Amino acid sequence: MPTSTGRAAARLHVAQPPVSRMMRQLERDLGVDPFIRSTRTVQLTAAGVALTASAREILAAADRARASAIAAGRGAVTLPVSASTTVHGWVSG
């Protein structure tokens, strides 16, 4: 993870001021400080670590939902299958 807003901005291909504004807005929205900022670095607080973990889960779920929608739109259907002796008896029986 970038350790400065300048590095984060470079990684996102945007200028640094919008990143700082978004960080301040996030702090206001949350009502807690997800970041510890110094003049040179930015670190995550416990709130920031918790938020990051949840955000990654949400983004992964969104990716799965998108892939499912695309597959369904193309006519591909995926069904969850579990291995069970009862199901096995029905299938092979």
Side-chain angles (χ1 to χ4, degrees), residues 26-35 45 47-48:
L26 179 62
E27 290 165 340
R28 282 191 298 272
D29 290 349
L30 293 175
V32 297
D33 292 327
F35 313 107
T45 63

Side-chain angles (χ1 to χ4, degrees), residues 18-86:
V19 173
S20 292
R21 281 193 298 274
M22 287 187 277
M23 291 171 66
R24 284 192 301 276
Q25 183 63 49
L26 179 62
E27 290 165 340
R28 282 191 298 272
D29 290 349
L30 293 175
V32 297
D33 292 327
F35 313 107
I36 299 169
R37 296 191 219 193
S38 73
T39 55
R40 295 184 156 232
T41 64
V42 176
Q43 297 176 326
L44 293 176
T45 63
V49 171
L51 178 65
T52 300
S54 295
R56 286 187 175 139
E57 291 173 15
I58 291 166
L59 292 172
D63 285 344
R64 289 190 302 273
R66 181 179 183 275
S68 293
I70 290 169
R74 292 180 178 156
V77 177
T78 57
L79 299 174
V81 177
S82 65
S84 163
T85 57
T86 305

